[in-house]
């Protein structure tokens, strides 16, 4: 037999060869996402052309920007006919954009500290799966601490408010054996009675651990938008859940009250409710009654957002199969237990995109308070800043700065909601 006919057997494995350059790294991503077909290639090239053109056109405006100037006219003298932004308005008026023009500058540390503590307060709620449940105590204490820091005054006011809340919760738990509706009503009445009685105590202890009081009319800037956004979103979610459950209730009176409230609020523009809070609501109060404007606005915006969240959650409840309700009944759970442990967790999971959409829209709608003479960041730009002789005519820089602030907050909310949806995903697609 010749040597050419002898079979060859490999005695060792060949080393792994690297994948082709077109199947790995940036080249693969570009090929699959931007140049996967003729149509996508054309769209990619057209989009790239517009993006490059936009960057080339806007680059001089940013690169030649002036950051140190006392007025718009001085900015133009520095630019000497060149294209450039006058960012000096931001360095000169940053405090008014963030805190308003009346909030005492020596007290800026108080709302700043309240803003920093906000992240520590919401972290146990947003990441409850990864943080100890004991940290929820920080979340519960935060509203009272933040109120004391921002508005000032004696610490006994938030302390009594906290004690009244705890008293209401205790009464609610004691009466849960009767029914859920009676328990909620009893807890609310107990808290209101406690708060009314505590007013007699706090009046005589005005100097106890008191910070310099700051009235609501002295607050403004982006601080107002954050306050309204955080408070109204936090309050509208539980109220929206109650309205959604009430609309599906088998009790006709509760059902029709919720239906009328939801349909009426959803049929009225938010700006109309803000005018009601600013002007009309005062006519229904006794003469000489002082009702804080920020509190009135919070009530109206919360009502508005609650109606929309109620419909979002009702959609989540309707999306659940009937078998989930029957499973809760088969376990012997009453209405409150079945809603708490089986129905609502699934409905809220389904409703996450809709709830986030309402929250983002609500936060942006806080700028509407500028039409009722509240100097939020848009009110500050349209009012004191642009009305001043130094900065009359500066628009892009100011409104661009406001847009960046709102984008950061709204984008953060959106990214968290997407992360939460991935965390709660139970299927294996």
């Amino acid at each position: 037999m010749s040597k050419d006919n002898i079979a060859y057997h490999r005695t060792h494995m060949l080393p792994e060869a690297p994948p082709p350059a077109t199947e790995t790294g940036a080249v693969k991503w570009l090929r699959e996402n931007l140049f996967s077909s003729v149509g996508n290639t054309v769209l990619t090239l057209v989009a790239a052309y517009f993006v490059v053109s936009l960057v080339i056109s806007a680059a001089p405006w940013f690169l030649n920007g002036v950051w140190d100037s006392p007025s718009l006219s001085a900015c133009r003298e520095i630019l000497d006919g060149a294209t450039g932004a006058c960012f000096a308005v931001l360095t000169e008026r940053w405090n008014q954009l963030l805190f308003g023009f009346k909030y005492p500058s020596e007290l800026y540390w108080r709302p700043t500290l309240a803003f920093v503590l906000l992240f520590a307060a919401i972290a146990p709620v947003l990441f409850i799966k990864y943080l100890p449940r004991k940290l929820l105590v920080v979340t519960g204490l935060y509203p009272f601490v933040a109120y004391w820091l921002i508005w000032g005054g004696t610490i006994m006011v938030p302390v009594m408010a906290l004690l009244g809340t705890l008293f209401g919760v205790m009464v609610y738990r004691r009466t849960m054996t009767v029914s859920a509706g009676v328990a909620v009503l009893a807890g609310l009445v107990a808290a209101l009675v406690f708060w009314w009685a505590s007013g007699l105590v706090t009046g005589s202890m005005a100097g106890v651990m008191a910070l310099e009081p700051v009235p609501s009319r002295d607050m403004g800037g982006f601080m107002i938008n954050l306050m309204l956004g955080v408070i109204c979103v936090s309050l509208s979610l539980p109220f929206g859940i109650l309205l959604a459950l009430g609309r599906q209730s088998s009790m006709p009176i509760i059902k029709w009250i919720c239906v009328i409230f939801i349909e009426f609020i959803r049929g009225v523009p938010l700006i109309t409710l803000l005018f009601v809070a600013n002007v009309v609501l005062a006519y229904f109060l006794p003469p000489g009654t002082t009702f804080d404007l920020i509190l009135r606005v919070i009530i109206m915006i919360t009502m508005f957002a609650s109606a929309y969240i109620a419909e979002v959650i009702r959609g989540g409840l309707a999306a659940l199969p009937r078998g989930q309700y029957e499973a809760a009944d088969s376990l012997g759970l009453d209405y409150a237990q079945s809603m708490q442990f089986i129905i609502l967790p699934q409905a809220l999971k389904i409703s996450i995109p809709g709830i986030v959409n309402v929250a983002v829209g609500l936060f942006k709608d806080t700028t509407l308070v500028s039409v009722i003479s509240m100097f939020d960041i848009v009110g500050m730009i349209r009012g004191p800043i642009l009305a001043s002789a130094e900065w009359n005519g500066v628009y892009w820089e100011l409104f661009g700065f406001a847009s960046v602030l709102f984008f950061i907050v709204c984008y953060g909310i959106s990214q968290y909601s997407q992360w939460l949806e991935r965390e709660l995903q139970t299927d294996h697609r």
Side-chain angles (χ1 to χ4, degrees):
M1 182 181 295
S2 63
K3 293 182 178 181
D4 296 337
N5 296 330
I6 298 176
Y8 174 75
H9 297 277
R10 189 177 301 280
T11 59
H12 61 279
M13 294 293 295
L14 290 175
E16 294 184 0
T22 58
E23 294 298 329
T24 184
V27 176
K28 177 184 179 182
W29 185 90
L30 291 172
R31 183 175 59 81
E32 291 183 351
N33 294 276
L34 301 180
F35 303 100
S36 58
S37 65
V38 176
N40 286 346
T41 301
V42 173
L43 291 176
T44 298
L45 295 177
V46 172
Y49 171 78
F50 281 106
V51 170
V52 172
S53 301
L54 180 62
V55 171
I56 293 175
S57 301
W61 191 78
F62 287 98
L63 297 177
N64 297 333
V66 178
W67 292 90
D68 187 10
S69 175
S71 65
L72 177 60
S73 59
C75 273
R76 290 172 176 170
E77 291 179 3
I78 295 173
L79 291 171
D80 193 21
T83 301
C86 187
F87 293 122
V89 65
L90 303 180
T91 58
E92 289 286 327
R93 299 298 182 95
W94 66 269
N95 53 340
Q96 296 181 6
L97 291 170
L98 296 181
F99 302 102
F101 66 96
K102 288 186 178 181
Y103 203 92
S105 59
E106 66 275 10
L107 301 181
Y108 285 165
W109 66 271
R110 284 164 43 179
T112 303
L113 179 58
F115 176 71
V116 173
L117 293 177
L118 174 64
F119 293 95
I122 64 175
V125 178
L126 301 182
F127 307 101
I128 192 171
K129 181 179 177 181
Y130 302 98
L131 295 176
R133 290 183 176 270
K134 295 180 180 179
L135 293 178
L136 290 174
V137 176
V138 178
T139 305
L141 294 176
Y142 175 76
F144 308 97
V145 175
Y147 171 85
W148 183 54
L149 287 173
I150 296 175
W151 273 272
T154 176
I155 196 174
M156 293 307 299
V157 172
V159 167
M160 289 299 177
L162 174 61
L163 294 178
T165 303
L166 296 177
F167 181 66
V169 172
M170 182 186 68
V171 173
Y172 167 78
R173 290 185 174 180
R174 292 292 181 87
T175 54
M176 270 295 291
T177 54
V178 180
S179 71
V182 173
V184 171
L185 182 61
L188 181 60
V189 171
L192 292 176
V193 171
F194 187 95
W195 290 331
W196 174 81
S198 65
L200 305 176
V201 179
T202 55
S204 61
M205 305 179 68
V208 178
M209 294 184 64
L211 296 174
E212 180 181 342
V214 179
S216 297
R217 63 178 178 271
D218 291 346
M219 300 178 187
F222 193 63
M223 177 178 66
I224 287 287
N225 300 106
L226 279 178
M227 288 169 50
L228 294 177
V230 172
I231 295 174
C232 295
V233 169
S234 302
L235 294 177
S236 60
L237 184 58
F239 283 122
I241 293 174
L242 293 177
L243 287 172
L245 296 178
R247 184 161 188 169
Q248 290 192 332
S249 174
S250 58
M251 293 181 282
I253 296 179
I254 294 179
K255 178 179 180 179
W256 282 108
I257 289 176
C258 294
V259 169
I260 294 172
F261 176 86
I262 292 172
E263 297 301 330
F264 175 77
I265 295 297
R266 291 174 67 223
V268 177
L270 177 58
I271 194 171
T272 304
L273 297 178
L274 294 178
F275 276 117
V276 170
N278 186 37
V279 181
V280 181
L281 198 60
Y283 292 104
F284 297 94
L285 300 175
T289 302
T290 57
F291 197 1
D292 191 271
L293 178 59
I294 290 183
L295 180 58
R296 284 181 275 166
V297 170
I298 288 174
I299 292 174
M300 289 300 175
I301 296 180
T302 301
M303 290 169 53
F304 182 82
S306 299
Y308 280 88
I309 290 181
E311 288 300 281
V312 172
I313 295 176
R314 187 171 71 91
L317 293 171
L320 290 181
R322 185 62 190 171
Q324 296 296 317
Y325 295 86
E326 296 173 351
D329 294 337
S330 66
L331 292 174
L333 303 179
D334 58 21
Y335 178 80
Q337 292 173 333
S338 63
M339 286 294 167
Q340 180 180 355
F341 297 113
I342 295 180
I343 306 303
L344 275 180
Q346 299 181 73
L348 292 176
K349 174 186 172 183
I350 298 172
S351 306
I352 287 176
I355 294 174
V356 171
N357 185 48
V358 173
V360 170
L362 172 65
F363 180 66
K364 293 186 294 184
D365 285 343
T366 57
T367 56
L368 292 175
V369 299
S370 61
V371 302
I372 58 172
S373 301
M374 289 184 67
F375 291 101
D376 71 318
I377 188 169
V378 174
M380 287 301 305
I381 293 173
R382 296 171 56 192
I385 297 179
L386 287 180
S388 63
E390 295 85 359
W391 302 110
N392 188 7
V394 178
Y395 294 98
W396 286 100
E397 295 86 344
L398 291 170
F399 285 107
F401 177 70
S403 301
V404 169
L405 292 179
F406 277 96
F407 173 78
I408 291 173
V409 176
C410 295
Y411 183 74
I413 296 174
S414 176
Q415 289 300 304
Y416 170 76
S417 69
Q418 295 179 33
W419 174 83
L420 183 61
E421 289 184 61
R422 292 192 297 268
E423 287 289 308
L424 297 178
Q425 188 173 354
T426 55
D427 53 357
H428 301 283
R429 290 179 295 179

